Amino acid sequence: MKKVVIIGGGYAGLYALRELVKDKDIKITLIDNNTFHNLQPEVYDLIANKLNISDVTIDLSTLCEGLNHSYLEYKNLKVTQIDSEKKVVNTAEEEIVEFDYLIIAAGTRTSFPSSISGINTAHDIKKLNWAIYFKQCFENRLFKKIQYEVKEADDIEVIVVGAGLSGVEIAAEMAYNTKKFFKRGNFTSDNLKISLVSSADTILPGLDSELIRLSQERLKSLGIEIITNTKLQKCENQTAYFTNGTNKEYSFIIFAGGIEASNLRSELDVKKNKKGQIIVNEYMQTSKYENIFAIGDVAEIKNEKEEIMPPNVTIAKISGTNAGQNILNMIKNKELIKSNPKLDGILIALGGKYAVGSIYGLFHVKGRIAYEIKKFVFYSYKKPLLRLICEGYNKLKNI
């Protein structure tokens, strides 16, 4: 019986898993150091109190039960090394997992440059535990603000460093919901200030000019200060120092300045790019081992035009599905399928029921309609997972 191991229960890993379970005669092991799949796009709604923890997580053990595969198991382990020659995965728990085929879907993490002194004080809200911690700290600060309002409490200064998709979305969501919070309680909010810092000459670098314009227009309407052509130099005594010679005191600083691949891939002798992402071919295979695949954010994935695709859910779906299909084809001695990833468009949540987007690169949408499209697209991903965990839960309950 062939053994297939997936490292990482994120978007890409789960799409690969959903393909692999179609073959009932292989052994599949899903490994993740978390017990849950994090629905990252909804974490901002968690911070904004629209959702709770159960809304933004999918239990991996229950999900695997719902897939109804006799030889599928989930292991909550931390992978420390991949031995490509012996075909084993070593873990911190000293458990060894054998494989014939391996899919690396370990994702990325926020990159904190060592050149920025004191950056370790910044919040990394891509990690669920830090998102929850930040939410609690921020709410506590808001409470103190209204508690001591008559005593002229200090300004609440939030600095978001990095104006890519993550930085823009979290800044917008925070601005919108804090304004709503104060308005609902009839409190003034003049001393809540949010700054968004971009090292490029614009926010959302790399996106089309109309999408940037629409986003910038919305951010300014929310009272967000946009600072461009500026990098963070250091953080010291609750003060951020920038390359343009200015400095800002802050209550909270969120760093969304860039990503790097999980350090798991550093042990593997394959080609990687400057971000540490594994370079794969059109079949999602690594450069040296045809039985080892890399998918999702941990991989550098190109389309037929040799353009590098951005890390997002769409590319995770395409790469994960393709890797799963190709492993099944290799097992059955069938021809491999080339991947040609394409983006249907891009949608950016900008606080409340407001979004902007580009659809197929043909036209732009904004406001409630863009929000509803984004909501529908994400729900189409979430819905089958919810069905699987319901089936898994009922199965476990009846054991």
Side-chain angles (χ1 to χ4, degrees), residues 83-311:
D83 191 325
S84 53
E85 301 302 325
K86 293 181 179 179
K87 295 183 180 179
V88 296
V89 172
N90 297 311
T91 67
E93 295 79 5
E94 298 186 354
E95 182 171 344
I96 296 173
V97 185
E98 298 178 344
F99 67 85
D100 295 299
Y101 299 92
L102 176 67
I103 296 178
I104 303 172
T108 56
R109 59 188 181 185
T110 300
S111 174
F112 290 92
S114 58
S115 58
I116 302 177
S117 174
I119 192 62
N120 59 316
T121 61
H123 292 276
D124 177 10
I125 61 170
K126 287 184 180 180
K127 292 182 179 179
L128 187 58
N129 60 322
W130 275 103
I132 293 170
Y133 175 72
F134 171 77
K135 167 183 160 69
Q136 293 169 339
C137 292
F138 187 63
E139 287 179 344
N140 186 51
R141 189 61 184 263
L142 289 178
F143 173 70
K144 286 183 177 179
K145 195 277 178 191
I146 62 174
Q147 185 180 23
Y148 301 113
E149 184 177 22
V150 293
K151 298 179 182 179
E152 297 184 357
D154 293 337
D155 288 351
I156 302 176
E157 291 271 4
V158 180
I159 300 175
V160 180
V161 179
L165 284 172
S166 295
V168 165
E169 288 193 334
I170 185 56
E173 203 64 60
M174 285 181 62
Y176 176 84
N177 283 285
T178 48
K179 284 179 181 294
K180 188 176 179 181
F181 167 82
F182 285 115
K183 185 177 180 180
R184 185 182 297 154
N186 294 316
F187 302 109
T188 61
S189 57
D190 293 340
N191 66 347
L192 172 70
K193 299 176 182 177
I194 298 177
S195 301
L196 179 64
V197 181
S198 174
S199 60
D201 59 1
T202 180
I203 63 170
L204 302 169
L207 299 188
D208 70 73
S209 58
E210 180 63 8
L211 207 52
I212 292 171
R213 186 189 70 78
L214 292 171
S215 299
Q216 192 158 293
E217 186 179 85
R218 169 65 172 177
L219 294 176
K220 287 183 177 179
S221 74
L222 292 171
I224 296 171
E225 179 187 11
I226 298 173
I227 304 169
T228 57
N229 288 313
T230 302
K231 293 182 180 181
L232 177 65
Q233 273 189 324
K234 68 176 180 178
C235 300
E236 186 176 270
N237 299 323
Q238 294 295 108
T239 302
Y241 295 84
F242 301 101
T243 54
N244 64 0
T246 64
N247 62 75
K248 274 181 174 289
E249 293 185 0
Y250 62 84
S251 309
F252 302 95
I253 186 165
I254 298 170
F255 192 78
I259 60 169
E260 62 181 3
S262 164
N263 62 358
L264 169 65
R265 90 284 173 228
S266 63
E267 297 289 331
L268 201 60
D269 180 26
V270 293
K271 290 182 180 178
K272 309 176 191 78
N273 64 16
K274 292 180 180 179
K275 293 181 181 179
Q277 293 170 302
I278 298 171
I279 298 173
V280 295
N281 63 15
E282 63 268 39
Y283 307 114
M284 299 299 116
Q285 294 167 307
T286 57
S287 59
K288 195 172 179 180
Y289 308 100
E290 66 175 17
N291 66 323
I292 299 180
F293 295 70
I295 57 176
D297 293 0
V298 80
E300 180 186 283
I301 299 168
K302 295 181 179 180
N303 60 15
E304 288 183 343
K305 297 179 181 178
E306 289 296 302
E307 298 168 329
I308 297 175
M309 305 306 292

Side-chain angles (χ1 to χ4, degrees), residues 325-365:
Q325 291 172 338
N326 281 331
I327 286 177
L328 295 183
N329 283 357
M330 289 180 76
I331 292 172
K332 297 172 184 176
N333 294 314
K334 291 184 177 180
E335 186 177 347
L336 300 188
I337 301 167
K338 289 185 178 181
S339 172
N340 181 27
K342 296 178 181 178
L343 290 175
D344 296 333
I346 186 166
L347 293 158
I348 307 167
L350 292 174
K353 296 181 178 180
Y354 191 102
V356 299
S358 171
I359 310 299
Y360 297 108
L362 300 175
F363 60 94
H364 294 88
V365 289

